[in-house]
Short mmCIF file of all heavy atoms in Angstrom, two decimals:
data_model
loop_
_atom_site.label_atom_id
_atom_site.label_comp_id
_atom_site.label_asym_id
_atom_site.label_seq_id
_atom_site.Cartn_x
_atom_site.Cartn_y
_atom_site.Cartn_z
N LYS A 53 -85.79 -48.53 34.33
CA LYS A 53 -84.41 -48.87 34.67
C LYS A 53 -83.46 -47.73 34.28
O LYS A 53 -82.51 -47.41 35.00
CB LYS A 53 -83.98 -50.15 33.95
CG LYS A 53 -84.58 -51.41 34.54
CD LYS A 53 -84.05 -52.62 33.80
CE LYS A 53 -84.63 -53.91 34.40
NZ LYS A 53 -84.12 -55.11 33.68
N ASN A 54 -83.74 -47.11 33.13
CA ASN A 54 -82.89 -46.00 32.70
C ASN A 54 -83.10 -44.74 33.53
O ASN A 54 -82.23 -43.88 33.61
CB ASN A 54 -83.14 -45.67 31.23
CG ASN A 54 -82.73 -46.82 30.32
OD1 ASN A 54 -81.83 -47.58 30.65
ND2 ASN A 54 -83.42 -46.95 29.19
N ALA A 55 -84.29 -44.65 34.17
CA ALA A 55 -84.58 -43.47 34.97
C ALA A 55 -83.94 -43.54 36.35
O ALA A 55 -83.79 -42.51 37.01
CB ALA A 55 -86.09 -43.29 35.13
N VAL A 56 -83.58 -44.72 36.79
CA VAL A 56 -82.97 -44.87 38.12
C VAL A 56 -81.54 -44.37 38.07
O VAL A 56 -80.78 -44.69 37.15
CB VAL A 56 -83.02 -46.35 38.57
CG1 VAL A 56 -82.30 -46.52 39.90
CG2 VAL A 56 -84.47 -46.80 38.69
N LYS A 57 -81.17 -43.58 39.07
CA LYS A 57 -79.81 -43.05 39.13
C LYS A 57 -78.84 -44.16 39.50
O LYS A 57 -79.04 -44.88 40.47
CB LYS A 57 -79.73 -41.91 40.16
CG LYS A 57 -78.36 -41.29 40.26
CD LYS A 57 -78.36 -40.12 41.20
CE LYS A 57 -76.95 -39.54 41.36
NZ LYS A 57 -76.36 -39.13 40.08
N ARG A 58 -77.79 -44.29 38.69
CA ARG A 58 -76.79 -45.31 38.93
C ARG A 58 -75.54 -44.69 39.55
O ARG A 58 -75.33 -43.47 39.49
CB ARG A 58 -76.41 -46.02 37.62
CG ARG A 58 -77.55 -46.80 37.00
CD ARG A 58 -77.06 -47.54 35.76
NE ARG A 58 -78.10 -48.35 35.17
CZ ARG A 58 -79.00 -47.93 34.29
NH1 ARG A 58 -78.95 -46.66 33.92
NH2 ARG A 58 -79.91 -48.73 33.81
N LYS A 59 -74.71 -45.54 40.08
CA LYS A 59 -73.47 -45.09 40.69
C LYS A 59 -72.47 -44.67 39.61
O LYS A 59 -72.31 -45.37 38.61
CB LYS A 59 -72.87 -46.20 41.55
CG LYS A 59 -71.58 -45.80 42.24
CD LYS A 59 -71.04 -46.94 43.09
CE LYS A 59 -69.73 -46.53 43.76
NZ LYS A 59 -69.17 -47.62 44.60
N THR A 60 -71.83 -43.55 39.83
CA THR A 60 -70.84 -43.05 38.89
C THR A 60 -69.49 -43.65 39.23
O THR A 60 -68.95 -43.45 40.32
CB THR A 60 -70.76 -41.52 38.94
OG1 THR A 60 -72.06 -40.98 38.66
CG2 THR A 60 -69.77 -40.99 37.93
N HIS A 61 -68.94 -44.43 38.30
CA HIS A 61 -67.65 -45.07 38.51
C HIS A 61 -66.56 -44.15 37.98
O HIS A 61 -66.48 -43.88 36.77
CB HIS A 61 -67.59 -46.43 37.78
CG HIS A 61 -68.60 -47.43 38.32
ND1 HIS A 61 -68.39 -48.16 39.45
CD2 HIS A 61 -69.84 -47.76 37.87
CE1 HIS A 61 -69.44 -48.95 39.68
NE2 HIS A 61 -70.33 -48.71 38.73
N LYS A 62 -65.71 -43.70 38.85
CA LYS A 62 -64.63 -42.80 38.47
C LYS A 62 -63.38 -43.61 38.13
O LYS A 62 -63.12 -44.64 38.73
CB LYS A 62 -64.32 -41.83 39.60
CG LYS A 62 -65.49 -40.92 39.95
CD LYS A 62 -65.12 -39.96 41.07
CE LYS A 62 -66.30 -39.05 41.40
NZ LYS A 62 -65.94 -38.11 42.50
N GLU A 63 -62.63 -43.10 37.17
CA GLU A 63 -61.41 -43.78 36.79
C GLU A 63 -60.32 -43.54 37.83
O GLU A 63 -60.24 -42.47 38.43
CB GLU A 63 -60.94 -43.27 35.42
CG GLU A 63 -61.85 -43.69 34.28
CD GLU A 63 -61.27 -43.27 32.94
OE1 GLU A 63 -60.29 -42.51 32.94
OE2 GLU A 63 -61.80 -43.72 31.91
N ARG A 64 -59.51 -44.55 38.00
CA ARG A 64 -58.44 -44.44 38.96
C ARG A 64 -57.32 -43.59 38.40
O ARG A 64 -56.91 -43.77 37.25
CB ARG A 64 -57.92 -45.85 39.30
CG ARG A 64 -56.76 -45.84 40.28
CD ARG A 64 -56.10 -47.19 40.34
NE ARG A 64 -54.93 -47.19 41.20
CZ ARG A 64 -54.00 -48.13 41.21
NH1 ARG A 64 -54.11 -49.17 40.40
NH2 ARG A 64 -52.97 -48.05 42.02
N SER A 65 -56.78 -42.71 39.19
CA SER A 65 -55.67 -41.87 38.77
C SER A 65 -54.35 -42.54 39.12
O SER A 65 -54.31 -43.58 39.80
CB SER A 65 -55.75 -40.51 39.45
OG SER A 65 -55.69 -40.67 40.86
N GLN A 66 -53.28 -41.95 38.64
CA GLN A 66 -51.96 -42.50 38.92
C GLN A 66 -51.62 -42.32 40.41
O GLN A 66 -51.76 -41.22 40.94
CB GLN A 66 -50.91 -41.79 38.07
CG GLN A 66 -49.52 -42.35 38.16
CD GLN A 66 -49.36 -43.68 37.45
OE1 GLN A 66 -49.79 -44.70 37.96
NE2 GLN A 66 -48.75 -43.66 36.28
N PRO A 67 -51.20 -43.40 41.09
CA PRO A 67 -50.83 -43.25 42.51
C PRO A 67 -49.69 -42.25 42.67
O PRO A 67 -48.89 -42.01 41.76
CB PRO A 67 -50.42 -44.67 42.92
CG PRO A 67 -51.08 -45.56 41.93
CD PRO A 67 -51.14 -44.79 40.65
N SER A 68 -49.60 -41.69 43.87
CA SER A 68 -48.60 -40.66 44.12
C SER A 68 -47.17 -41.21 44.03
O SER A 68 -46.26 -40.51 43.59
CB SER A 68 -48.83 -40.04 45.50
OG SER A 68 -48.77 -41.04 46.51
N ASP A 69 -46.97 -42.48 44.43
CA ASP A 69 -45.63 -43.03 44.37
C ASP A 69 -45.21 -43.40 42.95
O ASP A 69 -44.04 -43.71 42.71
CB ASP A 69 -45.52 -44.25 45.28
CG ASP A 69 -46.56 -45.31 44.94
OD1 ASP A 69 -47.55 -44.95 44.26
OD2 ASP A 69 -46.39 -46.49 45.34
N ARG A 70 -46.16 -43.43 41.98
CA ARG A 70 -45.84 -43.73 40.59
C ARG A 70 -46.08 -42.51 39.69
O ARG A 70 -46.19 -42.63 38.48
CB ARG A 70 -46.69 -44.89 40.08
CG ARG A 70 -46.38 -46.22 40.75
CD ARG A 70 -47.26 -47.32 40.19
NE ARG A 70 -47.16 -47.42 38.75
CZ ARG A 70 -46.21 -48.10 38.10
NH1 ARG A 70 -45.27 -48.73 38.79
NH2 ARG A 70 -46.20 -48.15 36.79
N ARG A 71 -46.15 -41.32 40.28
CA ARG A 71 -46.42 -40.12 39.51
C ARG A 71 -45.27 -39.79 38.56
O ARG A 71 -45.46 -39.11 37.55
CB ARG A 71 -46.68 -38.95 40.46
CG ARG A 71 -47.36 -37.77 39.80
CD ARG A 71 -47.77 -36.77 40.86
NE ARG A 71 -48.72 -37.35 41.79
CZ ARG A 71 -50.04 -37.38 41.60
NH1 ARG A 71 -50.54 -36.86 40.48
NH2 ARG A 71 -50.84 -37.92 42.48
N LYS A 72 -44.07 -40.28 38.86
CA LYS A 72 -42.93 -40.00 37.99
C LYS A 72 -43.04 -40.70 36.65
O LYS A 72 -42.35 -40.34 35.69
CB LYS A 72 -41.64 -40.43 38.69
CG LYS A 72 -41.60 -41.92 39.02
CD LYS A 72 -40.34 -42.28 39.76
CE LYS A 72 -40.32 -43.79 40.11
NZ LYS A 72 -39.07 -44.14 40.83
N PHE A 73 -43.91 -41.72 36.54
CA PHE A 73 -44.08 -42.44 35.27
C PHE A 73 -45.12 -41.79 34.36
O PHE A 73 -45.43 -42.33 33.30
CB PHE A 73 -44.48 -43.89 35.54
CG PHE A 73 -43.43 -44.67 36.30
CD1 PHE A 73 -43.62 -45.00 37.62
CD2 PHE A 73 -42.26 -45.03 35.68
CE1 PHE A 73 -42.66 -45.72 38.32
CE2 PHE A 73 -41.30 -45.75 36.37
CZ PHE A 73 -41.49 -46.09 37.70
N GLY A 74 -45.69 -40.67 34.78
CA GLY A 74 -46.66 -39.97 33.95
C GLY A 74 -48.09 -40.41 34.24
O GLY A 74 -48.39 -40.99 35.30
N LEU A 75 -48.98 -40.14 33.29
CA LEU A 75 -50.39 -40.46 33.47
C LEU A 75 -50.61 -41.96 33.41
O LEU A 75 -49.92 -42.69 32.69
CB LEU A 75 -51.23 -39.78 32.38
CG LEU A 75 -51.22 -38.24 32.40
CD1 LEU A 75 -52.00 -37.71 31.21
CD2 LEU A 75 -51.79 -37.70 33.70
N LEU A 76 -51.60 -42.42 34.15
CA LEU A 76 -51.95 -43.84 34.15
C LEU A 76 -52.74 -44.16 32.88
O LEU A 76 -53.76 -43.54 32.59
CB LEU A 76 -52.79 -44.18 35.40
CG LEU A 76 -53.20 -45.64 35.55
CD1 LEU A 76 -51.97 -46.53 35.71
CD2 LEU A 76 -54.13 -45.83 36.74
N GLU A 77 -52.24 -45.11 32.12
CA GLU A 77 -52.87 -45.45 30.86
C GLU A 77 -54.19 -46.18 31.09
O GLU A 77 -54.24 -47.16 31.85
CB GLU A 77 -51.93 -46.32 30.02
CG GLU A 77 -52.45 -46.57 28.62
CD GLU A 77 -51.50 -47.44 27.81
OE1 GLU A 77 -50.92 -48.38 28.40
OE2 GLU A 77 -51.34 -47.19 26.62
N LYS A 78 -55.24 -45.72 30.43
CA LYS A 78 -56.56 -46.36 30.51
C LYS A 78 -56.75 -47.28 29.30
O LYS A 78 -55.89 -47.36 28.41
CB LYS A 78 -57.66 -45.29 30.56
CG LYS A 78 -57.48 -44.26 31.65
CD LYS A 78 -57.50 -44.88 33.03
CE LYS A 78 -57.53 -43.84 34.12
NZ LYS A 78 -56.40 -42.92 34.08
N LYS A 79 -57.89 -47.94 29.28
CA LYS A 79 -58.13 -48.90 28.20
C LYS A 79 -58.26 -48.18 26.86
O LYS A 79 -57.77 -48.67 25.83
CB LYS A 79 -59.40 -49.70 28.49
CG LYS A 79 -59.67 -50.76 27.44
CD LYS A 79 -60.89 -51.60 27.78
CE LYS A 79 -61.13 -52.66 26.71
NZ LYS A 79 -62.31 -53.49 27.00
N LYS A 80 -58.91 -47.00 26.84
CA LYS A 80 -59.07 -46.28 25.57
C LYS A 80 -57.71 -45.82 25.04
O LYS A 80 -57.48 -45.79 23.82
CB LYS A 80 -60.00 -45.09 25.76
CG LYS A 80 -59.54 -44.10 26.81
CD LYS A 80 -60.53 -42.97 26.95
CE LYS A 80 -60.05 -41.98 28.01
NZ LYS A 80 -61.03 -40.87 28.18
N ASP A 81 -56.78 -45.49 25.95
CA ASP A 81 -55.44 -45.11 25.51
C ASP A 81 -54.71 -46.32 24.93
O ASP A 81 -53.99 -46.20 23.92
CB ASP A 81 -54.66 -44.52 26.67
CG ASP A 81 -55.36 -43.32 27.27
OD1 ASP A 81 -56.00 -42.57 26.51
OD2 ASP A 81 -55.27 -43.12 28.49
N TYR A 82 -54.88 -47.48 25.58
CA TYR A 82 -54.22 -48.68 25.07
C TYR A 82 -54.77 -49.07 23.70
O TYR A 82 -54.02 -49.47 22.81
CB TYR A 82 -54.42 -49.83 26.06
CG TYR A 82 -54.11 -51.19 25.46
CD1 TYR A 82 -52.80 -51.59 25.22
CD2 TYR A 82 -55.14 -52.06 25.08
CE1 TYR A 82 -52.51 -52.80 24.65
CE2 TYR A 82 -54.86 -53.29 24.51
CZ TYR A 82 -53.55 -53.65 24.30
OH TYR A 82 -53.27 -54.86 23.73
N LEU A 83 -56.10 -48.95 23.52
CA LEU A 83 -56.70 -49.30 22.23
C LEU A 83 -56.16 -48.41 21.12
O LEU A 83 -55.84 -48.87 20.02
CB LEU A 83 -58.23 -49.19 22.32
CG LEU A 83 -58.95 -50.24 23.17
CD1 LEU A 83 -60.44 -49.94 23.23
CD2 LEU A 83 -58.73 -51.64 22.59
N GLN A 84 -56.05 -47.12 21.40
CA GLN A 84 -55.53 -46.20 20.39
C GLN A 84 -54.07 -46.52 20.05
O GLN A 84 -53.67 -46.53 18.88
CB GLN A 84 -55.65 -44.77 20.90
CG GLN A 84 -55.25 -43.72 19.89
CD GLN A 84 -55.46 -42.31 20.42
OE1 GLN A 84 -55.90 -42.13 21.55
NE2 GLN A 84 -55.16 -41.32 19.61
N ARG A 85 -53.27 -46.83 21.07
CA ARG A 85 -51.87 -47.15 20.84
C ARG A 85 -51.73 -48.48 20.10
O ARG A 85 -50.89 -48.63 19.20
CB ARG A 85 -51.14 -47.21 22.19
CG ARG A 85 -49.65 -47.46 22.08
CD ARG A 85 -48.99 -47.18 23.41
NE ARG A 85 -49.56 -47.99 24.48
CZ ARG A 85 -49.16 -49.23 24.78
NH1 ARG A 85 -48.20 -49.82 24.07
NH2 ARG A 85 -49.71 -49.90 25.77
N ALA A 86 -52.59 -49.48 20.43
CA ALA A 86 -52.51 -50.78 19.78
C ALA A 86 -52.94 -50.69 18.31
O ALA A 86 -52.32 -51.31 17.43
CB ALA A 86 -53.38 -51.78 20.53
N LYS A 87 -53.97 -49.91 18.03
CA LYS A 87 -54.42 -49.75 16.63
C LYS A 87 -53.34 -49.08 15.80
O LYS A 87 -53.09 -49.48 14.65
CB LYS A 87 -55.71 -48.93 16.60
CG LYS A 87 -56.93 -49.69 17.10
CD LYS A 87 -58.18 -48.81 17.05
CE LYS A 87 -59.40 -49.57 17.57
NZ LYS A 87 -60.62 -48.71 17.55
N ASP A 88 -52.69 -48.06 16.34
CA ASP A 88 -51.63 -47.39 15.61
C ASP A 88 -50.45 -48.34 15.37
O ASP A 88 -49.86 -48.35 14.28
CB ASP A 88 -51.17 -46.16 16.40
CG ASP A 88 -50.10 -45.39 15.67
OD1 ASP A 88 -50.40 -44.82 14.61
OD2 ASP A 88 -48.95 -45.37 16.16
N PHE A 89 -50.12 -49.16 16.36
CA PHE A 89 -49.02 -50.11 16.21
C PHE A 89 -49.32 -51.15 15.13
O PHE A 89 -48.49 -51.44 14.26
CB PHE A 89 -48.75 -50.80 17.54
CG PHE A 89 -47.75 -51.92 17.46
CD1 PHE A 89 -46.39 -51.66 17.37
CD2 PHE A 89 -48.17 -53.24 17.43
CE1 PHE A 89 -45.47 -52.68 17.28
CE2 PHE A 89 -47.25 -54.28 17.35
CZ PHE A 89 -45.89 -53.99 17.27
N HIS A 90 -50.54 -51.71 15.15
CA HIS A 90 -50.91 -52.72 14.15
C HIS A 90 -51.02 -52.11 12.75
O HIS A 90 -50.73 -52.78 11.75
CB HIS A 90 -52.23 -53.39 14.55
CG HIS A 90 -52.09 -54.29 15.74
ND1 HIS A 90 -51.25 -55.39 15.77
CD2 HIS A 90 -52.68 -54.25 16.97
CE1 HIS A 90 -51.34 -55.99 16.94
NE2 HIS A 90 -52.19 -55.31 17.69
N ARG A 91 -51.45 -50.86 12.66
CA ARG A 91 -51.53 -50.22 11.35
C ARG A 91 -50.14 -50.07 10.74
O ARG A 91 -49.92 -50.36 9.56
CB ARG A 91 -52.19 -48.84 11.49
CG ARG A 91 -52.33 -48.08 10.18
CD ARG A 91 -52.93 -46.70 10.42
NE ARG A 91 -52.12 -45.92 11.32
CZ ARG A 91 -51.03 -45.24 10.96
NH1 ARG A 91 -50.63 -45.27 9.69
NH2 ARG A 91 -50.35 -44.54 11.83
N LYS A 92 -49.19 -49.63 11.55
CA LYS A 92 -47.82 -49.52 11.06
C LYS A 92 -47.22 -50.88 10.73
O LYS A 92 -46.50 -51.04 9.74
CB LYS A 92 -46.96 -48.81 12.10
CG LYS A 92 -47.35 -47.36 12.33
CD LYS A 92 -46.50 -46.73 13.41
CE LYS A 92 -46.91 -45.28 13.65
NZ LYS A 92 -46.12 -44.67 14.75
N GLU A 93 -47.56 -51.89 11.54
CA GLU A 93 -47.05 -53.23 11.28
C GLU A 93 -47.59 -53.78 9.97
O GLU A 93 -46.83 -54.38 9.18
CB GLU A 93 -47.43 -54.15 12.45
CG GLU A 93 -46.75 -55.49 12.44
CD GLU A 93 -47.13 -56.31 13.66
OE1 GLU A 93 -48.27 -56.15 14.15
OE2 GLU A 93 -46.31 -57.12 14.11
N ASP A 94 -48.87 -53.57 9.70
CA ASP A 94 -49.46 -54.03 8.43
C ASP A 94 -48.86 -53.30 7.24
O ASP A 94 -48.63 -53.90 6.17
CB ASP A 94 -50.98 -53.85 8.46
CG ASP A 94 -51.65 -54.72 9.51
OD1 ASP A 94 -51.02 -55.72 9.92
OD2 ASP A 94 -52.78 -54.40 9.93
N GLU A 95 -48.61 -52.00 7.39
CA GLU A 95 -48.03 -51.24 6.29
C GLU A 95 -46.62 -51.72 5.97
O GLU A 95 -46.25 -51.87 4.80
CB GLU A 95 -48.01 -49.76 6.65
CG GLU A 95 -47.58 -48.85 5.51
CD GLU A 95 -47.70 -47.39 5.85
OE1 GLU A 95 -48.21 -47.08 6.96
OE2 GLU A 95 -47.29 -46.56 5.02
N ILE A 96 -45.83 -51.98 7.00
CA ILE A 96 -44.48 -52.51 6.78
C ILE A 96 -44.53 -53.88 6.11
O ILE A 96 -43.74 -54.21 5.22
CB ILE A 96 -43.71 -52.56 8.10
CG1 ILE A 96 -43.46 -51.14 8.62
CG2 ILE A 96 -42.39 -53.31 7.94
CD1 ILE A 96 -42.81 -51.10 9.98
N GLN A 97 -45.48 -54.70 6.51
CA GLN A 97 -45.62 -56.03 5.92
C GLN A 97 -46.01 -55.94 4.45
O GLN A 97 -45.50 -56.70 3.61
CB GLN A 97 -46.65 -56.83 6.71
CG GLN A 97 -46.75 -58.30 6.29
CD GLN A 97 -47.72 -59.07 7.16
OE1 GLN A 97 -48.36 -58.50 8.04
NE2 GLN A 97 -47.84 -60.36 6.91
N ASN A 98 -46.91 -55.02 4.11
CA ASN A 98 -47.29 -54.84 2.72
C ASN A 98 -46.13 -54.34 1.87
O ASN A 98 -45.93 -54.80 0.73
CB ASN A 98 -48.46 -53.86 2.62
CG ASN A 98 -49.74 -54.41 3.22
OD1 ASN A 98 -49.93 -55.63 3.25
ND2 ASN A 98 -50.61 -53.54 3.68
N LEU A 99 -45.33 -53.43 2.41
CA LEU A 99 -44.17 -52.94 1.67
C LEU A 99 -43.13 -54.05 1.48
O LEU A 99 -42.51 -54.16 0.41
CB LEU A 99 -43.55 -51.76 2.41
CG LEU A 99 -44.37 -50.46 2.44
CD1 LEU A 99 -43.69 -49.41 3.31
CD2 LEU A 99 -44.59 -49.93 1.04
N ARG A 100 -42.96 -54.87 2.49
CA ARG A 100 -42.02 -55.99 2.36
C ARG A 100 -42.50 -56.99 1.31
O ARG A 100 -41.71 -57.52 0.52
CB ARG A 100 -41.85 -56.67 3.71
CG ARG A 100 -40.77 -57.76 3.71
CD ARG A 100 -40.64 -58.42 5.07
NE ARG A 100 -40.09 -57.49 6.05
CZ ARG A 100 -40.79 -57.00 7.08
NH1 ARG A 100 -42.07 -57.34 7.23
NH2 ARG A 100 -40.23 -56.18 7.94
N ARG A 101 -43.81 -57.25 1.26
CA ARG A 101 -44.37 -58.17 0.28
C ARG A 101 -44.20 -57.60 -1.14
O ARG A 101 -43.89 -58.33 -2.09
CB ARG A 101 -45.83 -58.43 0.57
CG ARG A 101 -46.46 -59.50 -0.34
CD ARG A 101 -47.93 -59.69 -0.08
NE ARG A 101 -48.17 -60.13 1.30
CZ ARG A 101 -48.74 -59.36 2.24
NH1 ARG A 101 -49.14 -58.13 1.92
NH2 ARG A 101 -48.94 -59.82 3.45
N LYS A 102 -44.42 -56.29 -1.30
CA LYS A 102 -44.24 -55.68 -2.62
C LYS A 102 -42.78 -55.75 -3.07
O LYS A 102 -42.49 -55.98 -4.25
CB LYS A 102 -44.69 -54.22 -2.57
CG LYS A 102 -46.20 -54.04 -2.51
CD LYS A 102 -46.56 -52.57 -2.54
CE LYS A 102 -48.07 -52.38 -2.51
NZ LYS A 102 -48.44 -50.94 -2.53
N ALA A 103 -41.86 -55.56 -2.12
CA ALA A 103 -40.44 -55.64 -2.49
C ALA A 103 -40.05 -57.06 -2.87
O ALA A 103 -39.23 -57.27 -3.79
CB ALA A 103 -39.58 -55.15 -1.32
N GLU A 104 -40.64 -58.07 -2.21
CA GLU A 104 -40.31 -59.46 -2.54
C GLU A 104 -40.90 -59.87 -3.89
O GLU A 104 -40.28 -60.65 -4.63
CB GLU A 104 -40.83 -60.38 -1.45
CG GLU A 104 -40.10 -60.22 -0.11
CD GLU A 104 -40.73 -61.06 0.98
OE1 GLU A 104 -41.81 -61.65 0.71
OE2 GLU A 104 -40.18 -61.12 2.09
N GLN A 105 -42.07 -59.35 -4.21
CA GLN A 105 -42.74 -59.73 -5.46
C GLN A 105 -42.45 -58.77 -6.61
O GLN A 105 -43.12 -58.81 -7.64
CB GLN A 105 -44.24 -59.80 -5.23
CG GLN A 105 -44.64 -60.85 -4.19
CD GLN A 105 -46.13 -60.84 -3.92
OE1 GLN A 105 -46.87 -60.03 -4.47
NE2 GLN A 105 -46.57 -61.77 -3.08
N ARG A 106 -41.47 -57.89 -6.47
CA ARG A 106 -41.18 -56.91 -7.50
C ARG A 106 -40.56 -57.59 -8.72
O ARG A 106 -39.71 -58.48 -8.58
CB ARG A 106 -40.22 -55.86 -6.96
CG ARG A 106 -39.92 -54.72 -7.93
CD ARG A 106 -39.00 -53.71 -7.29
NE ARG A 106 -37.70 -54.32 -6.98
CZ ARG A 106 -36.69 -54.40 -7.83
NH1 ARG A 106 -36.82 -53.91 -9.07
NH2 ARG A 106 -35.54 -54.95 -7.49
N ASN A 107 -40.97 -57.14 -9.88
CA ASN A 107 -40.44 -57.66 -11.14
C ASN A 107 -39.23 -56.82 -11.53
O ASN A 107 -39.35 -55.62 -11.78
CB ASN A 107 -41.52 -57.58 -12.22
CG ASN A 107 -41.04 -58.17 -13.54
OD1 ASN A 107 -39.98 -58.81 -13.59
ND2 ASN A 107 -41.83 -57.96 -14.59
N PRO A 108 -38.04 -57.42 -11.62
CA PRO A 108 -36.85 -56.61 -11.97
C PRO A 108 -36.88 -56.08 -13.39
O PRO A 108 -36.18 -55.12 -13.71
CB PRO A 108 -35.69 -57.59 -11.77
CG PRO A 108 -36.31 -58.95 -11.90
CD PRO A 108 -37.71 -58.83 -11.38
#
Side-chain angles (χ1 to χ4, degrees):
K53 285 183 180 180
N54 295 330
V56 176
K57 181 175 177 58
R58 296 183 177 86
K59 181 179 179 180
T60 302
H61 297 279
K62 298 181 179 180
E63 291 185 350
R64 179 192 176 195
S65 60
Q66 185 73 284
S68 58
D69 56 341
R70 294 180 54 85
R71 197 171 298 274
K72 60 182 179 180
F73 298 107
L75 297 175
L76 182 63
E77 187 180 38
K78 306 299 189 301
K79 183 177 180 180
K80 58 181 180 181
D81 303 326
Y82 165 74
L83 290 176
Q84 185 177 1
R85 183 167 57 86
K87 287 180 181 179
D88 182 67
F89 173 77
H90 290 300
R91 180 183 59 82
K92 294 178 181 178
E93 191 177 31
D94 295 339
E95 186 174 356
I96 293 175
Q97 187 176 3
N98 292 333
L99 291 175
R100 186 180 292 112
R101 186 183 299 110
K102 286 183 179 180
E104 292 175 353
Q105 299 176 358
R106 184 178 64 87
N107 183 11

